């Protein structure tokens, strides 16, 4: 159980050039707030815990006819290089680091990409708290491959979308408290919040009420699930 606030290291700034045609150096990438390397571990962030990815370093300035260095990418709040169970409790926060700014010059460097809030494969994530991506990143949770499960609980918050690229990705509505869910958030379009899931389930003792017009087959394992009342 984690109850503290921690951050990954920030990337260093790229070097600058004072030569007229010189190019600036690239900023370094930020580190993850938590790096998971042992398969099958369980991690719970309790209320008040915060894991932040490090920010990417700014690109160095190039000369007047040179190219500015690219900004470094932000680190993930949680980077899982092995299978894991991750619980984000109510009042806990996971956030990706911000991408660094591209350096100035005759041609400006490219800004870095913000980090995912959570990234990995073969993950089971239970979310009652908050997961946000870094600036210049649209995806809060990135399931890169394998079999993944995301269980939402009442009060959850996402600052970006969830991108599921695995072969068997399950979106579940769980917890003991009653809540509502808009099925129109599911789909492949850029504005959709939950992308790429193959299966949908209802777990936990609470009752969730579905709204929206996006029809999905829901497997009710526990508790109650009410259909679209509209």
């Amino acid at each position: 159980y984690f109850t503290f606030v921690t951050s990954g290291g920030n990337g260093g700034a790229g070097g600058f050039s004072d030569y007229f045609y010189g190019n600036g150096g690239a900023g370094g990438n930020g580190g993850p707030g938590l790096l998971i390397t042992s398969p099958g571990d369980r991690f719970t962030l309790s209320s008040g815990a915060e894991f932040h990815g490090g920010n990417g370093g700014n690109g160095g300035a190039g000369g007047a006819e040179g190219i500015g260095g690219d900004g470094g990418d932000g680190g993930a709040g949680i980077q899982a290089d092995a299978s894991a169970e991750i619980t984000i409790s109510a009042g806990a926060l996971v956030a990706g680091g911000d991408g660094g700014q591209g350096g100035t010059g005759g041609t400006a460097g490219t800004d870095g990409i913000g980090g995912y809030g959570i990234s990995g494969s073969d993950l089971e994530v239970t979310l009652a708290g908050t997961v946000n991506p870094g600036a210049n990143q649209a995806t809060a949770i990135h399931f890169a491959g394998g079999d993944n499960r995301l269980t939402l609980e009442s009060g959850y918050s996402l600052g970006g979308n969830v991108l599921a690229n695995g072969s068997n990705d399950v979106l579940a509505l769980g917890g003991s408290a009653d809540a509502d869910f808009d099925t129109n958030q599911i789909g492949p379009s850029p504005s959709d919040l939950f992308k790429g899931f193959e299966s949908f389930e209802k777990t936990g003792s609470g009752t969730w009420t579905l709204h929206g017009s996006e029809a999905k087959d829901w497997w009710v394992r526990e508790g109650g699930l009410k259909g679209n009342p509209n």
Side-chain angles (χ1 to χ4, degrees):
Y1 288 82
F2 297 99
T3 59
F4 51 83
V5 177
T6 188
S7 298
N10 295 328
F16 71 92
S17 174
D18 55 9
Y19 176 55
F20 189 74
Y21 294 102
N23 299 330
N29 296 332
L34 172 66
L35 177 62
I36 299 173
T37 58
S38 298
D41 284 348
R42 297 180 180 181
F43 301 86
T44 297
L45 275 66
S46 300
S47 180
E50 297 184 12
F51 279 20
H52 298 264
N55 297 325
N58 294 331
E65 291 296 328
I67 301 172
D70 292 339
D73 295 337
I78 297 177
Q79 175 65 48
D81 291 343
S83 61
E85 296 182 24
I86 302 168
T87 299
I88 313 300
S89 304
L93 168 67
V94 177
D98 296 338
Q101 294 182 338
T104 59
T107 301
T110 301
D111 291 343
I113 299 172
Y116 301 117
I118 298 173
S119 181
S121 301
D122 295 313
L123 302 181
E124 292 189 23
V125 177
T126 300
L127 179 60
T130 300
V131 178
N132 293 329
N136 199 23
Q137 172 60 259
T139 299
I141 299 177
H142 176 231
F143 294 128
D147 299 337
N148 303 280
R149 183 181 187 88
L150 174 62
T151 301
L152 305 175
E153 296 189 355
S154 177
Y156 77 89
S157 176
L158 286 163
N161 64 50
V162 180
L163 181 59
N165 287 327
S167 56
N168 181 26
D169 301 302
V170 179
L171 177 63
L173 307 177
S176 59
D178 296 348
D180 297 279
F181 184 78
D182 183 1
T183 62
N184 289 332
Q185 299 176 109
I186 301 171
S189 71
S191 60
D192 290 328
L193 194 59
F194 301 96
K195 307 173 187 290
F197 287 91
E198 289 83 25
S199 301
F200 305 89
E201 297 182 1
K202 169 64 185 69
T203 62
S205 60
T207 297
W208 283 70
T209 301
L210 300 179
H211 302 268
S213 58
E214 181 67 26
K216 296 293 182 184
D217 292 328
W218 292 84
W219 185 358
V220 180
R221 294 179 176 269
E222 300 174 282
L225 186 67
K226 295 182 179 180
N228 191 336
N230 296 333

